[in-house]
Amino acid sequence: MDEIKRLQEMIDESSRIVFFGGAGVSTESGIPDFRSADGLYRQKYKYSPEQIVSHSFFVQYPEEFYEFYKEKMMFLDAQPNPAHKKLAELEAAGKLTAVITQNIDGLHQAAGSKNVLELHGSILRNYCMKCYKHYSAEYVKNSDGIPRCECGGIIRPDVVLYEEGLDSVIIQKSIQAISEADMLIIGGTSLVVYPAAGFIDYFHGKYLVLINKDATSRDASASLVIRQPIGEVLAQIR
């Protein structure tokens, strides 16, 4: 049976769909997956992306952190793609209850999704570490070197860096949404980043669907596996 047709049937049958997504959801909007960073990054930066976006690196080398962060993680001109738009439509239609994302680009909200649980924070929220004044992503992106507050403090993005814990409230809401879902669609993630990948263990609904270009550790337990770009897949759902 055609994969898209089967996916459509599952969506039609479900009323509490949760979407769990990763970097692959935004690559079709022109945002690269920094985890797949190649030798070019290392030639320029000397460090792996995982090292650079860690808490200890941010504290020790804020200038190098921001050079990488502004160039490789802030894509303020990116627009929602068909995957973001379809998920917003499903929510508006009362079919989808939550979007749980590992992305920090804010594209789900830009597409119109309301209940978005951002596991790793957002580049759109930034605050002074000294006085907690808030700043826009544009301010950070356009600043020279380390972005600073008018009080002199360093501005940091509200994103979860390596070595930092996830927000406990977001974790709780994500687990609750997954545990109450009758269908869980996982898209654009290799399911290797924990603890987020472990959330799937809380799903006890009817349909588990995996849409990812590469194989994942959960393929064997899925009701349906589609190895295609997620935007192309969801664009065909009515």
Side-chain angles (χ1 to χ4, degrees):
M1 186 187 236
D2 177 32
E3 291 172 337
I4 304 296
K5 191 178 172 194
R6 184 76 189 108
L7 176 60
Q8 182 72 63
E9 286 176 355
M10 291 177 177
I11 290 173
D12 290 343
E13 282 179 39
S14 305
S15 59
R16 295 188 66 80
I17 302 169
V18 168
F19 178 80
F20 181 94
V25 178
S26 292
T27 49
E28 290 168 86
S29 290
I31 298 179
D33 174 2
F34 85 88
R35 288 185 69 79
S36 60
D38 54 24
L40 287 175
Y41 283 27
R42 293 191 173 83
Q43 284 166 29
K44 180 172 181 185
Y45 292 101
K46 298 193 309 217
Y47 306 97
S48 72
E50 280 85 358
Q51 278 177 289
I52 295 173
V53 291
S54 68
H55 175 83
S56 49
F57 191 94
F58 172 75
V59 172
Q60 273 185 288
Y61 309 106
E63 196 143 351
E64 286 89 342
F65 169 87
Y66 272 111
E67 185 189 353
F68 178 89
Y69 177 76
K70 290 179 198 175
E71 186 186 342
K72 299 295 182 187
M73 297 178 73
M74 296 190 85
F75 295 89
L76 304 186
D77 296 330
Q79 297 297 316
N81 65 52
H84 299 107
K85 291 172 183 172
K86 183 55 65 179
L87 293 167
E89 281 175 31
L90 289 170
E91 183 187 50
K95 302 276 287 178
L96 184 134
T97 57
V99 167
I100 302 167
T101 181
Q102 294 170 287
N103 297 337
I104 57 174
D105 49 48
L107 290 181
H108 284 293
Q109 292 93 327
S113 288
K114 302 282 188 283
N115 190 26
V116 182
L117 298 167
E118 295 174 314
L119 294 173
H120 297 154
S122 173
I123 62 166
L124 303 180
R125 297 187 300 271
N126 304 274
Y127 62 92
C128 170
M129 294 168 70
K130 200 164 161 188
C131 73
Y132 296 103
K133 182 177 176 181
H134 289 260
Y135 284 87
S136 68
E138 286 76 16
Y139 183 91
V140 171
K141 177 94 171 174
N142 298 325
S143 61
D144 287 329
I146 301 166
R148 291 195 177 271
C149 175
E150 51 201 26
C151 80
I154 291 179
I155 297 166
R156 83 156 270 177
D158 186 11
V159 299
V160 179
L161 303 175
Y162 284 98
E163 304 164 353
E164 295 178 342
L166 302 187
D167 184 299
S168 58
V169 174
I170 300 291
I171 288 177
Q172 201 49 52
K173 286 182 176 176
S174 300
I175 289 172
Q176 185 176 349
I178 289 172
S179 65
E180 293 173 353
D182 56 6
M183 179 177 186
L184 177 61
I185 302 173
I186 300 171
T189 174
S190 50
L191 294 176
V192 293
V193 178
Y194 279 80
F199 292 177
I200 293 136
D201 295 332
Y202 293 92
F203 177 66
H204 304 292
K206 192 171 181 184
Y207 297 124
L208 174 62
V209 177
L210 283 162
I211 306 170
N212 196 50
K213 287 195 279 189
D214 302 311
T216 77
S217 58
R218 303 289 180 134
D219 286 9
S221 56
S223 317
L224 177 65
V225 176
I226 302 178
R227 297 240 174 95
Q228 294 173 48
I230 188 162
E232 291 176 21
V233 172
L234 292 186
Q236 299 174 70
I237 296 300
R238 59 173 193 273

